Amino acid sequence: MARLKILTGPLRSQNFELDKKGWAKVIGRGTEKVDIRVPDKAISRRHAEFSFRDGQWAARDLGSSNGTFIDELRVSDVMLLKHGDQIRCGSTVLLFETDQTVDLLEMPPGEADAGPIELEFDPGETMVAIAFDSLQSKQTVRQRQRMMQAGQAALNLSHGIKNLLQAVQSGQDVMDDAFGHRDIDQAKKAWNILKRNLDKIQKLVLDMLKFSKEELPRRQPCQFNRLVETVVQMVRPQADERQVGITVQADEHLGLVSIDPDQMQDVVMNLLLNAIEAVPQQTGQVIVYTEKDDLAKEIILRVSDNGKGIENVRTIFEPFHSEKPHVGTGLGLSIAKKIIEAHRGEIEVQSLPGEGSIFTIRIPIVELS
């Protein structure tokens, strides 16, 4: 007999039996054709399926919006399950268990007598800390995972980094030549090349640090509308360069809110820069909305654009993924999602090919102290 135990989420600690003689079990938040119903907003109506095949249980994603992950590996096809696997659907984590015992002879040398495995689960977390003898903190595990991803990113971005360094070298050569001929105009052009690429290198390094660092929001009273308008002014030169229009539609009833202004500035900045790059030159339009939802007690930020749309919305929040080849670090949306979740909020995207995209952020209102 096999079972799924919910470790995090609304139904924490509940068990669901998996009978290999029965039909495949479907998990989702819908009410029709769903065997394991979980009231998790991040789970699709029919999210994933568990079935018994070739003498072993397997999991399959059913085209969910946020994906299905087994031990933090995204399920792209049918994946076989083994005892102790952690399956993440939305913000809910399930533990797969069978009645089979672990063969100590198959364990790595030295681990067979290392003591029992201890698990600690937190309802708001999707990471699980695992340790032999002593329990590692979940924070350490999360940070280590991000550092590993950052290391992998250095390899993935090596081509882009090489291009940046070559551009800097070219700017230096032009600058040296300009100084040799005392050509001030040529020197100014070379400096612009150097400055532009040095800014790109700085952004790359800062994004890597922000992604790998575990930092809680430092909340303070903030005029959210003013923060948004300030960021719009900061990105206005990039928009003007591409002749893209930016419109702000602010809710006048949205006053002081408790957020981390520096982190939220990063979020708004990333969304606006992505939108500016996504829309066509001259005819591109970006609209920023703010809203206070008194009923849901939420702050809402929407950024819409009339770009070509996003081909696969399920992967855009993954680290180092980018819809724009050779542009950016692929970390902007991952950082934004990390910040929003640290504020106990949610970020989602709607996109239609050829019509554009809408990013929506919802943050619970925290009473000012």
Side-chain angles (χ1 to χ4, degrees), residues 208-225:
M208 298 281 280
L209 290 173
K210 289 175 185 176
F211 177 74
S212 60
K213 187 177 181 182
E214 192 73 25
E215 186 174 7
L216 294 176
R218 298 179 181 178
R219 292 180 181 268
Q220 58 182 279
C222 174
Q223 287 282 358
F224 192 70
N225 285 339

Side-chain angles (χ1 to χ4, degrees), residues 22 253 298:
H253 299 95
E298 293 176 332

Side-chain angles (χ1 to χ4, degrees), residues 77-247:
D77 199 353
V78 176
M79 287 185 64
L80 297 178
L81 295 170
K82 62 182 184 299
H83 180 77
D85 277 345
Q86 299 156 31
I87 304 124
R88 175 160 64 87
C89 301
S91 59
T92 297
V93 177
L94 304 96
L95 178 67
F96 175 75
E97 297 178 315
T98 69
D99 294 333
Q100 297 176 347
T101 58
V102 178
D103 187 353
L104 294 180
L105 295 177
E106 296 180 355
M107 296 179 66
E111 290 190 0
D113 55 355
I117 298 175
E118 299 180 14
L119 301 178
E120 180 180 323
F121 306 110
D122 189 325
E125 302 292 342
T126 58
M127 291 297 300
V128 182
I130 303 176
F132 295 88
D133 285 334
S134 60
L135 182 68
Q136 293 179 323
S137 69
K138 293 184 293 299
Q139 182 178 356
T140 302
V141 175
R142 288 197 302 270
Q143 189 167 3
R144 183 170 297 174
Q145 184 192 38
R146 287 198 178 99
M147 292 301 293
M148 291 175 63
Q149 290 173 322
Q152 183 62 44
L155 296 175
N156 296 341
L157 295 171
S158 60
H159 182 70
I161 293 172
K162 183 183 71 173
N163 288 343
L164 288 174
L165 294 177
Q166 287 177 344
V168 170
Q169 183 64 54
S170 297
Q172 179 183 327
D173 293 341
V174 174
M175 181 74 77
D176 291 340
D177 184 67
F179 284 149
H181 293 84
R182 299 182 182 276
D183 188 337
I184 300 301
D185 290 336
Q186 186 180 7
K188 288 180 180 179
K189 293 179 181 179
W191 171 243
N192 287 333
I193 296 174
L194 283 171
K195 186 176 183 297
R196 183 165 58 251
N197 286 281
L198 287 173
D199 288 343
K200 290 180 180 180
I201 292 173
Q202 183 185 40
K203 186 178 188 306
L204 170 64
V205 173
L206 291 177
D207 281 353
M208 298 281 280
L209 290 173
K210 289 175 185 176
F211 177 74
S212 60
K213 187 177 181 182
E214 192 73 25
E215 186 174 7
L216 294 176
R218 298 179 181 178
R219 292 180 181 268
Q220 58 182 279
C222 174
Q223 287 282 358
F224 192 70
N225 285 339
R226 187 177 302 170
L227 182 147
V228 170
E229 290 168 357
T230 299
V231 177
V232 168
Q233 293 306 314
M234 293 171 66
V235 302
R236 185 75 70 180
Q238 289 92 325
D240 291 343
E241 184 179 354
R242 303 190 75 245
Q243 298 181 333
V244 172
I246 304 181
T247 304

